[in-house]
Amino acid sequence: MARIAVIGAGMGALAAAARLAVAGHRVTVYERTETYGGAVRRFERDGFSFDTGPGLLPLPAVWRDLFVKTGKEPLEECVELLQVDPSARHVFADGSAVSLPNASRAGVVAALEEALGAGAGQRWGDFLVRAREAWDRTRRPLLEEPLWPNWPVLAGREPYPSVPHKRLLRTRRAGTLAEVGAWELRDTRLAALLESHALAYGLDPRTAPASAAVLPYMEHAFGLWYVRGGMRELARAVHERCLARRVAFRFGAEVVRVLEKDGRAAGVELAGGTVVEADFVVAPGTLRGAGTGVPPRGDGEPAPQRGRPGRLTVLLALRGGRPAGAAHRTVVHTDDREGELESLFGAAPGVPSRPTVTVLRPDDPALVPDAGHEAVVLRCVVPAGAEVSAGDTETVVAVAERAVPGLRDRLLWAEVRTPADVAQETGAEGGGVPAPALAAAEGRLLHPANPTALAGLFTVGGWAHPGGGLPHAGMSGALVSGLIVEGPEFRGSQ
């Protein structure tokens, strides 16, 4: 039985802790804040409750696997999972709109055909077939296995089977997501639909590899789910599973340094000087850097991502109940794509003046004081560390009114969450949001391997392999626990 110190109580760390405890190890989690869940948090006021982190759950199979492997009670006995239908309503710049059925390729094709015109649905359906091929080629090496020692193969290999396109007397194939939209979808609305999946993770579609096609494919193939009571309920259930497996938690305990002895991790030092010995240490990728004892980069591994965009979140308490039939999620697309991308990724980044805004309207009585009120969450991508003004918030609310008519007339109060709040809660530089690992792009969207250059020290969570997103956090925990329990020969689930 090994002593294992886990730094931070984010979702990836909790997943690793539960699995390691079941394997017979003595696990203690040290969390500098007073609660668990990392970015998966809740804000409550006046009987209203809001998710301040992820609002929906893709690929719930990852968390189902955790609960199967760590106890008798399956996930569905610990939380209530609801499939969201439609998966999203999209409102485009020209005023057209479409509601997309959840996890139904045929339904999505039919909906796009009816809303956007003949051929639109078929082109999107053909794209999803190609995206599935990219998914099949990358699923194991990018999500289910430790990062390959020869990871540059993934960095240079584009798994998306682009369609040949004649341009200026030359035959070319799309290498970026923007080129897939322009050359294969051939409709600005379909391109906006495609690019919105990358933009949600702070990826510039003009430079994101074509392999980012797996992001919309995951949603269409496996569906989107909501946890009754809010996504914070998933964090609660995982935390309780850890407690049931006798994982110990120390909240308000900030780890300032990983200790080294004889060339391997030997424990952690807490703020105030307390030293805790351990045989293995599991740390968040955000802890890498000088003075922490976590190597910033191992020899030959991908460089840690820096300066990733963050999210501006506006929580709205509204008078008046949620209308019957309202979509859980609506994406209101910008009418100034180039301006938005330049604001986010240009030489002088700032909050876009006309951003793409995601509107979340859960049909959940647990989130409101009574049936005469509604809790709404607005989100848009902003540069990491961005200074957010009252005018920026008003812009986001005004855009959201295209999805929720009369929104401002119903407003009781608003709470604004900036990247600085995310940085405070998670330790992520500038409050940036990590992107999932993606192939190609010269390895820019791969994450450092879970084993580090220091023996016995592993990194977990969104800033380590396989990257950001709730499913990826769960996979990260599974990989780290496998590497500790089975050793470096561990190759992931079969």
Side-chain angles (χ1 to χ4, degrees):
M1 178 177 68
R3 300 164 300 174
I4 300 177
V6 177
I7 304 172
M11 295 299 286
L14 293 180
R19 290 176 182 270
L20 288 166
V22 166
H25 299 297
R26 193 169 70 207
V27 183
T28 303
V29 176
Y30 299 89
E31 167 58 46
R32 65 184 179 85
T33 71
E34 297 300 329
T35 190
Y36 53 83
V40 184
R41 301 209 179 194
R42 175 183 287 153
F43 177 82
E44 297 178 330
R45 174 181 163 187
D46 301 338
F48 290 88
S49 183
F50 304 86
D51 285 322
T52 61
L56 291 169
L57 177 64
L59 266 181
V62 173
W63 297 98
R64 289 189 180 113
D65 181 72
L66 172 72
F67 277 74
V68 167
K69 300 289 177 55
T70 59
K72 296 179 180 179
E73 306 85 6
L75 176 61
E76 280 81 353
E77 287 187 12
C78 301
V79 298
E80 183 180 356
L81 283 178
L82 304 170
Q83 193 168 19
V84 176
D85 200 16
S87 65
R89 179 171 180 261
H90 290 265
V91 179
F92 299 105
D94 65 355
S96 60
V98 62
S99 293
L100 302 180
N102 200 344
S104 170
R105 177 181 175 276
V108 166
V109 168
L112 289 171
E113 199 79 4
E114 179 179 353
L116 305 188
Q122 186 60 52
R123 289 195 298 278
W124 185 261
D126 292 343
F127 157 74
L128 288 179
V129 172
R130 295 188 292 274
R132 176 179 179 174
E133 188 170 338
W135 167 261
D136 289 341
R137 291 174 176 176
T138 60
R139 176 178 58 86
R140 280 200 62 80
L142 285 181
L143 301 180
E144 298 177 356
E145 298 179 351
L147 188 67
W148 292 351
N150 62 335
W151 63 265
V153 174
L154 297 172
R157 178 188 298 166
E158 175 53 73
Y160 178 79
S162 300
V163 176
H165 170 78
K166 284 193 174 182
R167 182 177 175 86
L168 300 178
L169 302 179
R170 296 171 55 197
T171 298
R172 301 184 61 186
R173 293 178 181 269
T176 67
L177 205 64
E179 290 172 342
V180 171
W183 300 352
E184 298 180 10
L185 298 179
R186 304 191 307 278
D187 184 308
T188 56
R189 297 164 298 182
L190 290 179
L193 170 59
L194 171 65
E195 293 180 359
S196 66
H197 290 83
L199 194 63
Y201 284 104
L203 297 175
D204 184 346
R206 301 169 301 184
T207 58
S211 65
V214 299
L215 301 178
Y217 172 76
M218 287 172 59
E219 180 175 314
H220 287 301
F222 306 112
L224 280 179
W225 303 77
Y226 174 70
V227 179
R228 177 75 72 183
M231 295 302 300
R232 176 67 176 177
E233 287 298 291
L234 176 64
R236 174 198 57 76
V238 177
H239 174 246
E240 290 182 355
R241 177 54 54 90
C242 287
L243 293 176
R245 302 286 82 83
R246 299 186 179 181
V247 174
F249 285 84
R250 290 190 57 186
F251 294 106
E254 182 180 7
V255 173
V256 295
R257 189 164 63 93
V258 174
L259 304 177
E260 177 184 350
K261 182 178 180 180
D262 299 329
R264 65 172 290 117
V268 297
E269 179 183 341
L270 306 181
T274 300
V275 170
V276 180
E277 295 182 350
D279 303 300
F280 295 92
V281 176
V282 177
T286 53
L287 201 63
R288 290 176 179 265
T292 66
V294 181
R297 184 181 181 187
D299 291 340
E301 71 173 329
Q305 295 185 21
R306 300 292 186 211
R308 301 241 18 108
R311 294 187 184 120
L312 168 62
T313 302
V314 184
L315 315 176
L316 303 179
L318 304 183
R319 63 173 63 88
R322 180 183 185 273
H328 187 118
R329 179 179 63 151
T330 300
V331 181
V332 183
H333 295 269
T334 182
D335 61 358
D336 181 14
R337 171 186 179 271
E338 292 304 320
E340 179 178 43
L341 297 181
E342 185 60 27
S343 294
L344 293 173
F345 308 108
V351 179
S353 60
R354 283 134 77 183
T356 295
V357 175
T358 297
V359 182
L360 297 176
R361 307 177 72 181
D363 184 10
D364 189 345
L367 305 184
V368 291
D370 54 53
H373 295 85
E374 183 179 8
V376 174
V377 177
L378 313 180
R379 289 201 177 96
C380 71
V381 178
V382 297
E387 295 290 335
V388 178
S389 69
D392 295 327
T393 302
E394 174 60 24
T395 295
V396 171
V397 174
V399 171
E401 203 157 21
R402 294 178 60 196
V404 188
L407 174 62
R408 282 176 285 190
D409 294 335
R410 298 172 56 197
L411 184 61
L412 292 172
W413 50 262
E415 177 76 16
V416 179
R417 310 280 294 179
T418 69
D421 296 313
V422 176
Q424 175 63 30
E425 292 173 352
T426 68
E429 181 180 342
V433 176
L438 295 172
E442 300 178 340
R444 288 183 291 105
L445 295 173
L446 296 175
H447 292 262
N450 308 109
T452 70
L454 180 63
L457 173 63
F458 299 82
T459 55
V460 74
W463 299 95
H465 179 72
L470 271 175
H472 299 71
M475 295 171 187
S476 179
L479 292 174
V480 167
S481 64
L483 287 164
I484 291 176
V485 172
E486 298 187 26
E489 69 278 2
F490 174 70
R491 289 296 175 264
S493 58
Q494 299 299 321

